[in-house]
Amino acid sequence: MTENWKQRKSYAEVLGRRIALIDEGDGAPIVFLHGNPTSSYLWRSVLPALQGKGRLIAPDLIGMGDSEKLGPEDPSRYTFAQHSAFLDALLEKLGVTKNVTLVLHDWGGALGFHWARRHPSAVRGIAYMEAIAATYKSWAEWPAVAREAFQAFRSEQGEELVLQNNAFVEGVLFGMGTLRELTEEEKAEYRRPYLQPGDDRQVTLSWPRQLPIVGEPADVVGIVEEFGRWLTTTRGVPKLFVNAEPGAILGEGIQRDFCRTWPDQTEITVPGVHYIQEDSGNEIGKAIADWLPPLA
């Protein structure tokens, strides 16, 4: 499965860097966006139910999966703004301009919501799960099981925890992110982009430092608040909220309640914590296939 998955990828030159992606099928594009610290591999059990439903596009975000990493000479590397610029350029290069269905998770949620707000006429629908959907006014809104770890990632301890100990992969993804224990083959694939301590793991440290918590970083807070207003007030954009039970960042609390205020939305519930595709991938794929809005 792992080796075959890597062999299925193609590559696109974007902003002078190489982006890896799954790009299969024909028709209206269905774009799958992952978050930290995963890759397009996260969607491997979701995609089969959508074969024949459109052009399935699942990129590895810059610095992640098999996409090229950015060097320390780039002072702005792996900010939300930079990830967004790479995504914008990739979708433009691929001709993703109309009837776009976005399937979003984690930071892929924030990136996809931001893209949708700026390209509303291109959006066919949005399916999302465990996504960055709102700002966090206090640390009390962050899941209690992960609060101490994420506070440490944003502190001076972060470099040792993540760059040296690979704590986001080993501690967050493997330690608290799923209901089931991942297989050794699955763990090896998720570890593969981050085998070397230090710079190879920088992207997984930069992401938690971009979280819009207690007003920082200000630019990300502004972007998230802006797409939040759009999602709350704009009608005519079909949405599928894949609620996780018990869930994590969209578990019981303010963020999930906020998402439930969005208009034109269908909700389903599947078992899972945060990386819910690892627990309920087949169910998620079938639900998206059944929900897909009609083409314009």
Side-chain angles (χ1 to χ4, degrees):
M1 169 70 82
T2 297
E3 188 59 31
N4 290 340
W5 185 261
K6 184 178 179 181
Q7 291 174 355
R8 283 168 65 178
K9 292 179 183 178
S10 58
Y11 295 85
E13 190 79 12
V14 176
L15 302 181
R17 302 287 183 168
R18 200 166 86 137
I19 298 293
L21 68 153
I22 298 294
D23 187 354
E24 300 175 341
D26 299 300
I30 306 174
V31 179
F32 301 80
L33 298 179
H34 69 87
N36 194 24
T38 59
S39 67
S40 56
Y41 184 68
L42 181 73
W43 302 107
R44 69 195 181 281
S45 60
V46 176
L47 296 180
L50 291 155
Q51 297 290 340
K53 299 289 187 179
R55 180 184 177 190
L56 309 183
I57 300 171
D60 295 344
L61 298 179
I62 188 69
M64 310 183 80
D66 289 297
S67 289
E68 189 172 350
K69 294 187 185 294
L70 303 174
E73 70 279 1
D74 184 346
S76 65
R77 62 185 174 148
Y78 305 134
T79 60
F80 180 88
Q82 191 176 52
H83 276 284
S84 182
F86 272 98
L87 177 63
D88 284 359
L90 175 66
L91 295 184
E92 182 176 356
K93 182 161 192 170
L94 296 176
V96 176
T97 58
K98 65 178 182 179
N99 278 322
V100 182
T101 301
L102 297 167
V103 183
L104 311 176
H105 178 255
D106 191 81
W107 275 108
L111 289 167
F113 295 144
H114 184 46
W115 189 89
R117 187 198 65 77
R118 292 175 294 120
H119 303 84
S121 64
V123 178
R124 176 186 179 188
I126 302 172
Y128 68 98
M129 58 215 80
E130 280 293 298
I132 306 296
T135 62
Y136 299 84
K137 306 303 183 186
S138 74
W139 277 104
E141 296 179 15
W142 192 251
V145 67
R147 192 174 303 148
E148 185 176 340
F150 275 75
Q151 287 174 322
F153 296 156
R154 288 166 72 105
S155 77
E156 60 186 15
Q157 301 174 55
E159 277 71 14
E160 179 178 358
L161 289 169
V162 176
L163 302 188
Q164 298 306 314
N165 300 334
N166 208 18
F168 214 101
V169 174
E170 301 294 337
V172 178
L173 173 53
F174 300 160
M176 62 180 77
T178 61
L179 293 175
R180 71 177 179 92
E181 176 81 11
L182 300 187
T183 68
E184 289 306 311
E185 181 183 27
E186 290 166 337
K187 289 181 179 180
E189 175 62 15
Y190 282 127
R191 287 180 178 125
R192 187 170 60 80
Y194 313 114
L195 290 177
Q196 296 302 315
D199 207 58
D200 276 3
R201 300 170 179 170
Q202 179 61 48
V203 64
T204 68
L205 177 60
S206 295
W207 272 131
R209 292 177 170 178
Q210 291 289 289
L211 283 168
I213 297 180
V214 199
E216 294 293 338
D219 64 323
V220 182
V221 168
I223 288 168
V224 174
E225 289 179 343
E226 193 168 26
F227 70 58
R229 286 190 292 270
W230 179 77
L231 289 161
T232 304
T233 59
T234 301
R235 294 193 170 273
V237 179
K239 304 170 195 70
L240 175 65
F241 173 27
V242 183
N243 178 52
E245 181 58 47
I249 64 174
L250 288 185
E252 199 71 51
I254 294 172
Q255 269 67 30
R256 185 163 70 178
D257 291 345
F258 173 65
C259 290
R260 284 174 168 163
T261 69
W262 299 354
D264 302 309
Q265 181 162 269
T266 302
E267 180 177 330
I268 66 161
T269 297
V270 300
V273 185
H274 180 62
Y275 301 96
I276 65 174
Q277 300 87 338
E278 294 295 351
D279 290 308
S280 300
N282 292 333
E283 296 91 333
I284 293 167
K286 291 173 183 176
I288 295 170
D290 291 341
W291 161 83
L292 274 176
L295 292 172

